[in-house]
Amino acid sequence: FMSVKKKNFEERIVEIDDIIEKLENGELSLDDSIQEYEKAIKLIKESEKLLEAAEGKVMKGLEKNSEEIEIEEFE
C-alpha cells in the first residue's frame, strides 16, 4: 500500500505554474484544458487555506510576543 504524500505550499505553486504553462502552450485538447484548469483551481484553493493557516500562526506568535514585551516594559 503506497502512502499519498500531501503537497506543501511550494510544491502546489510549482504544479500551478506547470499547469499555466501547459494551458498557455495551447497544445492541450479542450477537455484536457478544462481538466487542468479545474486542477489548478483546486490547488489554488488549497494553497489559500495553507496561507491562511500560516497567517494565523504568525498572528498568534506576534500577539504572544507583544504580550511578553508589554510585561517586560512595565517591570
Side-chain angles (χ1 to χ4, degrees):
F1 181 74
M2 187 169 42
S3 66
V4 178
K5 178 186 173 271
K6 286 207 169 207
K7 295 176 182 150
N8 66 26
F9 181 79
E10 291 80 9
E11 291 168 332
R12 284 181 172 88
I13 297 301
V14 168
E15 190 168 354
I16 292 166
D17 282 342
D18 290 344
I19 291 170
I20 290 169
E21 196 172 308
K22 285 182 197 175
L23 293 172
E24 287 178 343
N25 285 341
E27 296 175 7
L28 297 175
S29 68
L30 179 60
D31 286 342
D32 288 341
S33 293
I34 292 169
Q35 189 174 4
E36 290 295 308
Y37 176 80
E38 289 173 347
K39 187 176 175 183
I41 295 299
K42 180 182 176 205
L43 288 165
I44 290 168
K45 288 180 180 178
E46 291 172 355
S47 298
E48 287 175 344
K49 286 180 185 175
L50 286 174
L51 281 176
E52 287 171 9
E55 183 181 23
K57 288 179 184 176
V58 168
M59 294 307 291
K60 280 184 181 178
L62 289 175
E63 287 172 10
K64 184 178 179 184
N65 286 335
S66 68
E67 288 171 10
E68 290 173 4
I69 291 169
E70 288 174 21
I71 291 169
E72 290 172 8
E73 288 174 2
F74 290 113
E75 289 178 357

